PDB file of all heavy atoms in Angstrom:
ATOM      1  N   ASN A  97      -6.818   0.969   1.257  1.00  0.00           N
ATOM      2  CA  ASN A  97      -7.554  -0.242   0.964  1.00  0.00           C
ATOM      3  C   ASN A  97      -7.040  -0.917  -0.307  1.00  0.00           C
ATOM      4  O   ASN A  97      -6.795  -0.249  -1.289  1.00  0.00           O
ATOM      5  CB  ASN A  97      -9.090   0.047   0.813  1.00  0.00           C
ATOM      6  CG  ASN A  97      -9.863  -1.226   0.631  1.00  0.00           C
ATOM      7  OD1 ASN A  97      -9.791  -2.138   1.434  1.00  0.00           O
ATOM      8  ND2 ASN A  97     -10.724  -1.243  -0.379  1.00  0.00           N
ATOM      9  N   VAL A  98      -6.865  -2.236  -0.238  1.00  0.00           N
ATOM     10  CA  VAL A  98      -6.540  -3.014  -1.395  1.00  0.00           C
ATOM     11  C   VAL A  98      -7.785  -3.758  -1.877  1.00  0.00           C
ATOM     12  O   VAL A  98      -8.478  -4.340  -1.028  1.00  0.00           O
ATOM     13  CB  VAL A  98      -5.378  -3.995  -1.140  1.00  0.00           C
ATOM     14  CG1 VAL A  98      -5.109  -4.934  -2.304  1.00  0.00           C
ATOM     15  CG2 VAL A  98      -4.122  -3.237  -0.772  1.00  0.00           C
ATOM     16  N   LEU A 144     -11.375  -9.101  -2.910  1.00  0.00           N
ATOM     17  CA  LEU A 144     -11.194  -8.104  -1.875  1.00  0.00           C
ATOM     18  C   LEU A 144     -12.052  -6.918  -2.270  1.00  0.00           C
ATOM     19  O   LEU A 144     -11.985  -6.405  -3.408  1.00  0.00           O
ATOM     20  CB  LEU A 144      -9.738  -7.695  -1.804  1.00  0.00           C
ATOM     21  CG  LEU A 144      -8.747  -8.564  -1.022  1.00  0.00           C
ATOM     22  CD1 LEU A 144      -8.607  -9.945  -1.732  1.00  0.00           C
ATOM     23  CD2 LEU A 144      -7.380  -7.869  -0.949  1.00  0.00           C
ATOM     24  N   PRO A 145     -12.922  -6.461  -1.358  1.00  0.00           N
ATOM     25  CA  PRO A 145     -13.905  -5.470  -1.731  1.00  0.00           C
ATOM     26  C   PRO A 145     -13.387  -4.079  -1.872  1.00  0.00           C
ATOM     27  O   PRO A 145     -12.467  -3.605  -1.178  1.00  0.00           O
ATOM     28  CB  PRO A 145     -14.943  -5.531  -0.604  1.00  0.00           C
ATOM     29  CG  PRO A 145     -14.106  -6.005   0.582  1.00  0.00           C
ATOM     30  CD  PRO A 145     -13.086  -6.951   0.024  1.00  0.00           C
ATOM     31  N   TYR A 152     -10.970   3.708   3.668  1.00  0.00           N
ATOM     32  CA  TYR A 152     -10.360   2.874   4.714  1.00  0.00           C
ATOM     33  C   TYR A 152     -10.395   1.354   4.317  1.00  0.00           C
ATOM     34  O   TYR A 152     -11.174   0.966   3.438  1.00  0.00           O
ATOM     35  CB  TYR A 152     -11.025   3.066   6.047  1.00  0.00           C
ATOM     36  CG  TYR A 152     -12.520   2.833   6.076  1.00  0.00           C
ATOM     37  CD1 TYR A 152     -13.055   1.512   6.188  1.00  0.00           C
ATOM     38  CD2 TYR A 152     -13.463   3.869   5.965  1.00  0.00           C
ATOM     39  CE1 TYR A 152     -14.386   1.280   6.206  1.00  0.00           C
ATOM     40  CE2 TYR A 152     -14.804   3.599   5.990  1.00  0.00           C
ATOM     41  CZ  TYR A 152     -15.270   2.357   6.107  1.00  0.00           C
ATOM     42  OH  TYR A 152     -16.607   2.067   6.118  1.00  0.00           O
ATOM     43  N   CYS A 153      -9.635   0.589   4.986  1.00  0.00           N
ATOM     44  CA  CYS A 153      -9.460  -0.820   4.670  1.00  0.00           C
ATOM     45  C   CYS A 153     -10.742  -1.593   4.896  1.00  0.00           C
ATOM     46  O   CYS A 153     -11.407  -1.441   5.910  1.00  0.00           O
ATOM     47  CB  CYS A 153      -8.357  -1.434   5.515  1.00  0.00           C
ATOM     48  SG  CYS A 153      -8.009  -3.159   5.219  1.00  0.00           S
ATOM     49  N   LYS A 154     -11.096  -2.429   3.913  1.00  0.00           N
ATOM     50  CA  LYS A 154     -12.268  -3.292   3.957  1.00  0.00           C
ATOM     51  C   LYS A 154     -11.918  -4.749   4.120  1.00  0.00           C
ATOM     52  O   LYS A 154     -12.776  -5.625   3.889  1.00  0.00           O
ATOM     53  CB  LYS A 154     -13.120  -3.075   2.716  1.00  0.00           C
ATOM     54  CG  LYS A 154     -13.629  -1.697   2.553  1.00  0.00           C
ATOM     55  CD  LYS A 154     -14.872  -1.410   3.388  1.00  0.00           C
ATOM     56  CE  LYS A 154     -16.075  -2.115   2.855  1.00  0.00           C
ATOM     57  NZ  LYS A 154     -17.330  -1.831   3.627  1.00  0.00           N
ATOM     58  N   ALA A 155     -10.697  -5.081   4.486  1.00  0.00           N
ATOM     59  CA  ALA A 155     -10.242  -6.456   4.572  1.00  0.00           C
ATOM     60  C   ALA A 155     -11.024  -7.292   5.514  1.00  0.00           C
ATOM     61  O   ALA A 155     -11.193  -8.500   5.322  1.00  0.00           O
ATOM     62  CB  ALA A 155      -8.727  -6.514   4.917  1.00  0.00           C
ATOM     63  N   ASP A 156     -11.582  -6.688   6.578  1.00  0.00           N
ATOM     64  CA  ASP A 156     -12.332  -7.443   7.564  1.00  0.00           C
ATOM     65  C   ASP A 156     -13.703  -7.898   7.029  1.00  0.00           C
ATOM     66  O   ASP A 156     -14.388  -8.667   7.703  1.00  0.00           O
ATOM     67  CB  ASP A 156     -12.500  -6.649   8.844  1.00  0.00           C
ATOM     68  CG  ASP A 156     -13.288  -5.380   8.650  1.00  0.00           C
ATOM     69  OD1 ASP A 156     -13.425  -4.930   7.497  1.00  0.00           O
ATOM     70  OD2 ASP A 156     -13.674  -4.755   9.657  1.00  0.00           O
ATOM     71  N   THR A 157     -14.073  -7.475   5.837  1.00  0.00           N
ATOM     72  CA  THR A 157     -15.352  -7.883   5.231  1.00  0.00           C
ATOM     73  C   THR A 157     -15.097  -8.946   4.130  1.00  0.00           C
ATOM     74  O   THR A 157     -16.042  -9.282   3.389  1.00  0.00           O
ATOM     75  CB  THR A 157     -16.104  -6.704   4.646  1.00  0.00           C
ATOM     76  OG1 THR A 157     -15.425  -6.106   3.560  1.00  0.00           O
ATOM     77  CG2 THR A 157     -16.326  -5.667   5.761  1.00  0.00           C
ATOM     78  N   ILE A 158     -13.862  -9.389   3.907  1.00  0.00           N
ATOM     79  CA  ILE A 158     -13.623 -10.399   2.885  1.00  0.00           C
ATOM     80  C   ILE A 158     -14.363 -11.690   3.221  1.00  0.00           C
ATOM     81  O   ILE A 158     -14.312 -12.211   4.353  1.00  0.00           O
ATOM     82  CB  ILE A 158     -12.119 -10.747   2.793  1.00  0.00           C
ATOM     83  CG1 ILE A 158     -11.335  -9.509   2.335  1.00  0.00           C
ATOM     84  CG2 ILE A 158     -11.838 -11.935   1.863  1.00  0.00           C
ATOM     85  CD1 ILE A 158      -9.790  -9.645   2.373  1.00  0.00           C
ATOM     86  N   GLU A 159     -15.111 -12.205   2.220  1.00  0.00           N
ATOM     87  CA  GLU A 159     -15.895 -13.385   2.471  1.00  0.00           C
ATOM     88  C   GLU A 159     -15.861 -14.278   1.213  1.00  0.00           C
ATOM     89  O   GLU A 159     -16.136 -13.832   0.121  1.00  0.00           O
ATOM     90  CB  GLU A 159     -17.387 -13.045   2.771  1.00  0.00           C
ATOM     91  CG  GLU A 159     -17.591 -12.362   4.083  1.00  0.00           C
ATOM     92  CD  GLU A 159     -19.071 -12.093   4.355  1.00  0.00           C
ATOM     93  OE1 GLU A 159     -19.879 -12.281   3.469  1.00  0.00           O
ATOM     94  OE2 GLU A 159     -19.371 -11.685   5.481  1.00  0.00           O
ATOM     95  N   GLU A 186      -9.808 -18.041   5.412  1.00  0.00           N
ATOM     96  CA  GLU A 186     -10.521 -16.803   5.179  1.00  0.00           C
ATOM     97  C   GLU A 186     -10.079 -15.774   6.207  1.00  0.00           C
ATOM     98  O   GLU A 186      -9.789 -14.596   5.857  1.00  0.00           O
ATOM     99  CB  GLU A 186     -12.023 -17.013   5.248  1.00  0.00           C
ATOM    100  CG  GLU A 186     -12.820 -15.724   4.978  1.00  0.00           C
ATOM    101  CD  GLU A 186     -14.309 -15.997   5.142  1.00  0.00           C
ATOM    102  OE1 GLU A 186     -14.761 -16.138   6.295  1.00  0.00           O
ATOM    103  OE2 GLU A 186     -15.001 -16.019   4.141  1.00  0.00           O
ATOM    104  N   VAL A 189      -6.559 -14.540   5.471  1.00  0.00           N
ATOM    105  CA  VAL A 189      -6.543 -13.617   4.322  1.00  0.00           C
ATOM    106  C   VAL A 189      -6.940 -12.214   4.830  1.00  0.00           C
ATOM    107  O   VAL A 189      -6.349 -11.201   4.480  1.00  0.00           O
ATOM    108  CB  VAL A 189      -7.482 -14.077   3.223  1.00  0.00           C
ATOM    109  CG1 VAL A 189      -7.588 -12.991   2.152  1.00  0.00           C
ATOM    110  CG2 VAL A 189      -6.930 -15.346   2.621  1.00  0.00           C
ATOM    111  N   ARG A 190      -7.991 -12.209   5.677  1.00  0.00           N
ATOM    112  CA  ARG A 190      -8.411 -10.901   6.264  1.00  0.00           C
ATOM    113  C   ARG A 190      -7.261 -10.237   7.071  1.00  0.00           C
ATOM    114  O   ARG A 190      -6.978  -9.057   6.923  1.00  0.00           O
ATOM    115  CB  ARG A 190      -9.642 -11.099   7.203  1.00  0.00           C
ATOM    116  CG  ARG A 190     -10.910 -11.482   6.471  1.00  0.00           C
ATOM    117  CD  ARG A 190     -11.978 -11.803   7.524  1.00  0.00           C
ATOM    118  NE  ARG A 190     -13.271 -12.181   6.880  1.00  0.00           N
ATOM    119  CZ  ARG A 190     -14.244 -12.629   7.575  1.00  0.00           C
ATOM    120  NH1 ARG A 190     -14.218 -12.855   8.899  1.00  0.00           N
ATOM    121  NH2 ARG A 190     -15.428 -12.970   6.934  1.00  0.00           N
ATOM    122  N   ASN A 191      -6.628 -11.065   7.881  1.00  0.00           N
ATOM    123  CA  ASN A 191      -5.562 -10.550   8.710  1.00  0.00           C
ATOM    124  C   ASN A 191      -4.373 -10.038   7.895  1.00  0.00           C
ATOM    125  O   ASN A 191      -3.767  -8.996   8.188  1.00  0.00           O
ATOM    126  CB  ASN A 191      -5.053 -11.644   9.704  1.00  0.00           C
ATOM    127  CG  ASN A 191      -6.124 -12.010  10.709  1.00  0.00           C
ATOM    128  OD1 ASN A 191      -7.079 -11.267  10.931  1.00  0.00           O
ATOM    129  ND2 ASN A 191      -5.953 -13.174  11.336  1.00  0.00           N
ATOM    130  N   LEU A 192      -4.066 -10.814   6.806  1.00  0.00           N
ATOM    131  CA  LEU A 192      -2.925 -10.418   5.987  1.00  0.00           C
ATOM    132  C   LEU A 192      -3.134  -9.074   5.307  1.00  0.00           C
ATOM    133  O   LEU A 192      -2.309  -8.174   5.359  1.00  0.00           O
ATOM    134  CB  LEU A 192      -2.756 -11.511   4.879  1.00  0.00           C
ATOM    135  CG  LEU A 192      -1.805 -11.115   3.728  1.00  0.00           C
ATOM    136  CD1 LEU A 192      -0.367 -10.911   4.234  1.00  0.00           C
ATOM    137  CD2 LEU A 192      -1.841 -12.162   2.646  1.00  0.00           C
ATOM    138  N   PHE A 193      -4.312  -8.899   4.703  1.00  0.00           N
ATOM    139  CA  PHE A 193      -4.544  -7.630   3.979  1.00  0.00           C
ATOM    140  C   PHE A 193      -4.819  -6.478   4.958  1.00  0.00           C
ATOM    141  O   PHE A 193      -4.521  -5.315   4.599  1.00  0.00           O
ATOM    142  CB  PHE A 193      -5.633  -7.826   2.960  1.00  0.00           C
ATOM    143  CG  PHE A 193      -5.175  -8.523   1.717  1.00  0.00           C
ATOM    144  CD1 PHE A 193      -5.462  -9.855   1.559  1.00  0.00           C
ATOM    145  CD2 PHE A 193      -4.408  -7.840   0.794  1.00  0.00           C
ATOM    146  CE1 PHE A 193      -4.976 -10.560   0.437  1.00  0.00           C
ATOM    147  CE2 PHE A 193      -3.937  -8.502  -0.362  1.00  0.00           C
ATOM    148  CZ  PHE A 193      -4.229  -9.878  -0.543  1.00  0.00           C
ATOM    149  N   SER A 194      -5.361  -6.766   6.119  1.00  0.00           N
ATOM    150  CA  SER A 194      -5.495  -5.715   7.174  1.00  0.00           C
ATOM    151  C   SER A 194      -4.092  -5.234   7.556  1.00  0.00           C
ATOM    152  O   SER A 194      -3.845  -3.989   7.677  1.00  0.00           O
ATOM    153  CB  SER A 194      -6.196  -6.226   8.349  1.00  0.00           C
ATOM    154  OG  SER A 194      -7.581  -6.505   8.087  1.00  0.00           O
ATOM    155  N   HIS A 195      -3.158  -6.178   7.746  1.00  0.00           N
ATOM    156  CA  HIS A 195      -1.780  -5.880   8.073  1.00  0.00           C
ATOM    157  C   HIS A 195      -1.137  -5.023   7.003  1.00  0.00           C
ATOM    158  O   HIS A 195      -0.527  -3.989   7.303  1.00  0.00           O
ATOM    159  CB  HIS A 195      -1.032  -7.208   8.263  1.00  0.00           C
ATOM    160  CG  HIS A 195       0.339  -7.062   8.775  1.00  0.00           C
ATOM    161  ND1 HIS A 195       1.154  -8.167   9.080  1.00  0.00           N
ATOM    162  CD2 HIS A 195       1.112  -6.004   9.018  1.00  0.00           C
ATOM    163  CE1 HIS A 195       2.328  -7.735   9.506  1.00  0.00           C
ATOM    164  NE2 HIS A 195       2.333  -6.415   9.470  1.00  0.00           N
ATOM    165  N   CYS A 197      -2.602  -3.189   4.621  1.00  0.00           N
ATOM    166  CA  CYS A 197      -3.203  -1.849   4.469  1.00  0.00           C
ATOM    167  C   CYS A 197      -2.814  -0.931   5.616  1.00  0.00           C
ATOM    168  O   CYS A 197      -2.565   0.236   5.396  1.00  0.00           O
ATOM    169  CB  CYS A 197      -4.750  -2.001   4.461  1.00  0.00           C
ATOM    170  SG  CYS A 197      -5.373  -2.762   2.923  1.00  0.00           S
TER     171      CYS A 197
END
Side-chain angles (χ1 to χ4, degrees):
N97 185 51
V98 174
L144 281 63
Y152 59 80
C153 181
K154 297 281 287 183
D156 61 346
T157 66
I158 294 172
E159 292 183 350
E186 181 183 73
V189 173
R190 291 175 180 172
N191 294 342
L192 167 64
F193 283 100
S194 292
H195 187 175
C197 289

